Amino acid sequence: KIMNGEDIRKHIQENVNYSDFAILLISENYKNSEICLNEMGAVWAIDKKVKAYVFPDLEEVNVGWLINDKAAEKLNDMTALASLYSELRQTYDLGSTFVDWTAQVKVFCEKFR
């Protein structure tokens, strides 16, 4: 939470610097938010691991470096989310099994259909 009077740029920079991953969830609201676009630029500037996912209802993505949805993956793509899980498991002890993850992802993806 950014407090009233706090330097937003410094807050974003500090939080981005402390992250291991940046997961960008690109929606129409994201595309129209100056703050979100600034955060995306900050993430790319410090060369963190970035995973970009677009909401399924976006047909064409044109946000900064994202020229189309081939630069990102659909948020309801089970294969893409399985790949994310694998990458996160290599970094963190997630405590859940792949079977648990798959069941949760299936329910999640069905909500977007």
Side-chain angles (χ1 to χ4, degrees), residues 2-37:
I2 300 174
M3 304 303 291
N4 189 6
E6 184 178 357
D7 184 336
I8 293 173
R9 292 167 302 177
K10 185 175 181 177
H11 179 86
I12 291 171
Q13 181 182 29
E14 287 173 354
N15 284 281
V16 168
N17 280 331
Y18 293 126
S19 68
D20 297 318
F21 283 86
I23 299 175
L24 306 174
L25 304 176
I26 313 295
S27 66
E28 195 62 45
N29 288 338
Y30 183 100
K31 289 173 46 174
N32 294 322
S33 169
E34 188 175 320
I35 295 291
C36 289
L37 297 179

Side-chain angles (χ1 to χ4, degrees), residues 12-13 16-17 19 21-26 30 36-53 63-67 70-73:
I12 291 171
Q13 181 182 29
V16 168
N17 280 331
S19 68
F21 283 86
I23 299 175
L24 306 174
L25 304 176
I26 313 295
Y30 183 100
C36 289
L37 297 179
N38 288 339
E39 290 174 344
M40 177 172 42
V43 167
W44 282 103
I46 62 168
D47 201 25
K48 294 288 182 175
K49 291 181 185 179
V50 177
K51 302 296 273 186
Y53 299 92
V63 181
W65 57 270
L66 286 174
I67 304 305
K70 290 182 175 47
E73 296 177 285

